[in-house]
Amino acid sequence: MKRTLLIALALGLALVFGDLAMAQSSDPLSSWNDGKAKQSITEFVAKVTEKGSPEFVPPAERIAVFDNDGTLWAEQPMYFQLLFALDRVKALAPKHPEWKDKEPFASLFKGDVKAALAGGERAVLEIVMATHAGMTTAEFEKIVKDWLATARHPTTRRPYTEMVYQPMLELLAYLRASGFKTFIVSGGGIEFMRPWVESVYGIPPEQVVGSSIKTKYEMRDGKPVLVRLPELNFVNDEDGKPIGIHTQIGRRPIAAFGNSDGDLQMLQWTTAGQGPRFALYVHHTDAEREWAYDRDSSIGRLDKGLDEARARDWTIVDMKRDWKVVYPIDRR
Amino acid sequence: MKRTLLIALALGLALVFGDLAMAQSSDPLSSWNDGKAKQSITEFVAKVTEKGSPEFVPPAERIAVFDNDGTLWAEQPMYFQLLFALDRVKALAPKHPEWKDKEPFASLFKGDVKAALAGGERAVLEIVMATHAGMTTAEFEKIVKDWLATARHPTTRRPYTEMVYQPMLELLAYLRASGFKTFIVSGGGIEFMRPWVESVYGIPPEQVVGSSIKTKYEMRDGKPVLVRLPELNFVNDEDGKPIGIHTQIGRRPIAAFGNSDGDLQMLQWTTAGQGPRFALYVHHTDAEREWAYDRDSSIGRLDKGLDEARARDWTIVDMKRDWKVVYPIDRR
């Protein structure tokens, strides 16, 4: 009797899974045009997930890392986190009368972003520290969430979280359905991303690697808080990406996705591991639906990376040619 | 026909799962004696996992953090990582003739560990840097694995990985079976733990938070490597534990497990969150089967933490009374 039931169960399972497989044969990467890029992805996933494949990789080792700015969401006309910081400067201005005569703030108030950022890295750092430090981690999380709920992109007038790439959302889901653990490895602030990436990308906070400032543990009214200090802790860009991956993930990814020279070391580190590896660059070639930029852009420059990708036959996504739609709102 | 199969499947599933449930009704915490400590654990897990419970916590938020030294494995007569460092000093001695006349190394060679460590934190740091830095991360991983495969504990003569606590192994498995994600949050070196905790505790490298030294990305013969530098990056102890948790996990745990004052801030941070929280101290009370120490110990001192645990009614495991066995080898 028990054996009969088990056989019925096995039969049922086989049939039901057969049905599921059919139902799912609707393409998981439906926003990707057929072509070399899409094919390289599905072939890689097939060979590392098929039991018995000589290149099979156990699920625990299926780590995939994604840059964020320019890879999962847009980054023009400047990094969205910088737009956040500029909005914060305006919001905080009444509390900082001294900013009126002090660069980079003075230029910002005149609406001259270019002049404000002329001070280079130091100016950016000053803006970041003035807007990202001095509060508890819980307070900062709320500030980010509130901003995202109301802020609009300067040219598209859309919420920033709608400027994520539909084909990449499908890719994230496809990899996870194939037993991969997906991580963000971004030069952006780790605490700027964590409040929203779980709902938008399905990536939990513990799978976000990013840049950070130092924090301090403190008791306030008998309750512990973490206070954000105006001091850099870690810059997760270029050389920092393999270091961030090693510190926080502790296992070499088998697949890496980026769009700029800042991701090059991450792609090198990933592909230098033993066994099957996958590296992909998103190339911004679509001036009409998104933006077109590469070697000469100050944001998301892709120059050395493009040469190395071509030389090493990494996958290069030609956004204009390879993506049916760019943003989720474009589907239909 | 299809419907018939689905019904058969459902029936089969129900029966098979019924059988599984029976098979598993053998106690998942069988090495724990019945009592307040064990009961507090199962009650907490029940209330956060039962659908419809007013204190239900979604799986994604079921984060549990565990100290390692003295909580998951033993830590006497000194931290095992320090014993590793001392062994490494001996192994490296031929390459460092200058150590013969230099403290803390000179005392170590005379077998006088006490004198070597008399220099306090600075002496320990010097030993750690001399033995943990200067190689690639891959080389260090191999050194740790090789050591663990052959080293024996000075008094029990057992491999260190057999000096883990059987009741805690059961607790880790029980929590994971209940939808928790288990993390190590240890003052120990993150790269000293990662090579073995996956096979011993079932905790993957990306769920290990620990102390670290800085690393540097470098090309060697066209291959990228990460070189370990003799410079502290982060000390994941005391105040550092909530900071480490926030940096790497980015979500406040709902349960925390420790054994010393070095874990107190982690337990405070965990229990200060909204909703159901759980904090537990392992109290080393078993001089016969393990060790007995608390307020006056230089290793794993439990003093302020013990007071706070009592005042706040956290769970305190009395090792002698609450654990049927200590080490896996003691079962039978």
Side-chain angles (χ1 to χ4, degrees), chain B residues 11-90:
Chain B
L11 257 173
L13 272 176
L15 277 154
V16 169
F17 275 95
D19 279 3
L20 282 178
M22 284 266 241
Q24 284 190 343
S25 78
S26 74
D27 187 356
L29 298 178
S30 61
S31 297
W32 292 71
N33 284 315
D34 289 328
K36 218 178 126 185
K38 179 176 181 173
Q39 193 182 347
S40 70
I41 295 169
T42 54
E43 281 177 2
F44 174 76
V45 170
K47 79 179 171 192
V48 300
T49 56
E50 270 167 23
K51 285 243 158 134
S53 153
E55 307 202 88
F56 178 79
V57 175
E61 292 167 27
R62 291 182 205 155
I63 304 285
V65 287
F66 288 80
D67 169 58
N68 184 40
D69 298 303
T71 299
L72 294 180
W73 75 352
E75 61 182 351
Q76 297 288 358
M78 65 183 90
Y79 298 123
F80 296 175
Q81 189 173 0
L82 193 50
L83 291 163
F84 161 76
L86 300 183
D87 280 353
R88 290 301 300 158
V89 166
K90 283 176 215 156

Side-chain angles (χ1 to χ4, degrees), chain A residues 5 15 137 181 191 194 198 205-207 215 217 219 223 243 246-251 265 268 272, chain B residues 5 15 181 191 194 198 205-207 215 217 219 223 242-243 246-251 265 268 272:
Chain A
L5 268 163
L15 276 155
T137 51
K181 209 164 174 177
E191 299 202 45
R194 280 174 166 158
E198 190 163 28
E206 63 268 27
Q207 285 161 226
T215 59
Y217 183 78
M219 281 289 175
K223 279 244 171 188
I243 294 172
H246 190 74
T247 306
Q248 200 168 324
I249 307 178
R251 176 135 59 188
Q265 290 84 348
Q268 290 170 338
Chain B
L5 268 162
L15 277 154
K181 208 163 174 178
E191 297 200 47
R194 280 175 166 157
E198 189 162 28
E206 63 267 28
Q207 286 161 224
T215 59
Y217 182 79
M219 282 288 174
K223 277 242 171 190
I243 294 172
H246 190 73
T247 306
Q248 201 168 323
I249 308 178
R251 175 133 62 185
Q265 290 84 349
Q268 290 171 339

Side-chain angles (χ1 to χ4, degrees), chain A residues 203-266:
Chain A
I203 295 180
E206 63 268 27
Q207 285 161 226
V208 180
V209 183
S211 298
S212 56
I213 59 178
K214 289 200 188 289
T215 59
K216 184 171 171 278
Y217 183 78
E218 214 177 271
M219 281 289 175
R220 287 190 180 171
D221 305 323
K223 279 244 171 188
V225 294
L226 288 172
V227 181
R228 292 170 58 79
L229 305 177
E231 191 185 341
L232 270 182
N233 179 53
F234 181 65
V235 177
N236 192 59
D237 200 24
E238 302 184 347
D239 282 11
K241 290 206 171 187
I243 294 172
I245 287 170
H246 190 74
T247 306
Q248 200 168 324
I249 307 178
R251 176 135 59 188
R252 199 190 296 246
I254 65 165
F257 304 82
N259 78 300
S260 79
D261 283 357
D263 302 312
L264 179 55
Q265 290 84 348
M266 172 169 85

Side-chain angles (χ1 to χ4, degrees), chain A residues 126-300:
Chain A
E126 237 179 299
I127 294 169
V128 167
M129 291 309 175
T131 53
H132 286 63
M135 68 294 280
T136 69
T137 51
E139 287 161 355
F140 185 71
E141 182 181 337
K142 189 178 176 321
I143 291 168
V144 172
K145 280 185 173 166
D146 289 350
W147 180 78
L148 278 174
T150 56
R152 294 292 178 273
H153 185 272
T155 62
T156 69
R157 312 311 307 169
R158 291 208 210 115
Y160 290 101
T161 48
E162 291 181 14
M163 294 186 65
V164 298
Y165 303 134
Q166 175 62 24
M168 297 305 280
L169 295 182
E170 292 169 11
L171 177 54
L172 285 169
Y174 170 60
L175 289 175
R176 286 193 294 259
S178 307
F180 281 75
K181 209 164 174 177
T182 53
F183 287 78
I184 289 175
V185 176
S186 167
I190 193 164
E191 299 202 45
F192 177 74
M193 293 182 282
R194 280 174 166 158
W196 56 273
V197 296
E198 190 163 28
S199 62
V200 173
Y201 300 140
I203 295 180
E206 63 268 27
Q207 285 161 226
V208 180
V209 183
S211 298
S212 56
I213 59 178
K214 289 200 188 289
T215 59
K216 184 171 171 278
Y217 183 78
E218 214 177 271
M219 281 289 175
R220 287 190 180 171
D221 305 323
K223 279 244 171 188
V225 294
L226 288 172
V227 181
R228 292 170 58 79
L229 305 177
E231 191 185 341
L232 270 182
N233 179 53
F234 181 65
V235 177
N236 192 59
D237 200 24
E238 302 184 347
D239 282 11
K241 290 206 171 187
I243 294 172
I245 287 170
H246 190 74
T247 306
Q248 200 168 324
I249 307 178
R251 176 135 59 188
R252 199 190 296 246
I254 65 165
F257 304 82
N259 78 300
S260 79
D261 283 357
D263 302 312
L264 179 55
Q265 290 84 348
M266 172 169 85
L267 270 58
Q268 290 170 338
W269 178 247
T270 298
T271 52
Q274 297 244 309
R277 304 283 152 166
F278 187 81
L280 178 151
Y281 262 129
V282 173
H283 190 188
H284 293 264
T285 53
D286 196 332
E288 204 169 308
R289 297 184 301 174
E290 206 242 4
W291 283 271
Y293 57 98
D294 49 31
R295 297 186 195 272
D296 299 321
S297 176
S298 65
I299 301 276

Side-chain angles (χ1 to χ4, degrees), chain A residues 283-324:
Chain A
H283 190 188
H284 293 264
T285 53
D286 196 332
E288 204 169 308
R289 297 184 301 174
E290 206 242 4
W291 283 271
Y293 57 98
D294 49 31
R295 297 186 195 272
D296 299 321
S297 176
S298 65
I299 301 276
R301 180 196 313 271
L302 179 62
D303 181 31
K304 281 185 201 166
L306 196 55
D307 293 337
E308 188 155 335
R310 283 175 181 158
R312 300 181 58 183
D313 205 22
W314 291 342
T315 296
I316 301 172
V317 171
D318 180 328
M319 191 180 270
K320 187 170 179 172
R321 192 191 58 202
D322 288 321
W323 286 1
K324 274 187 200 145

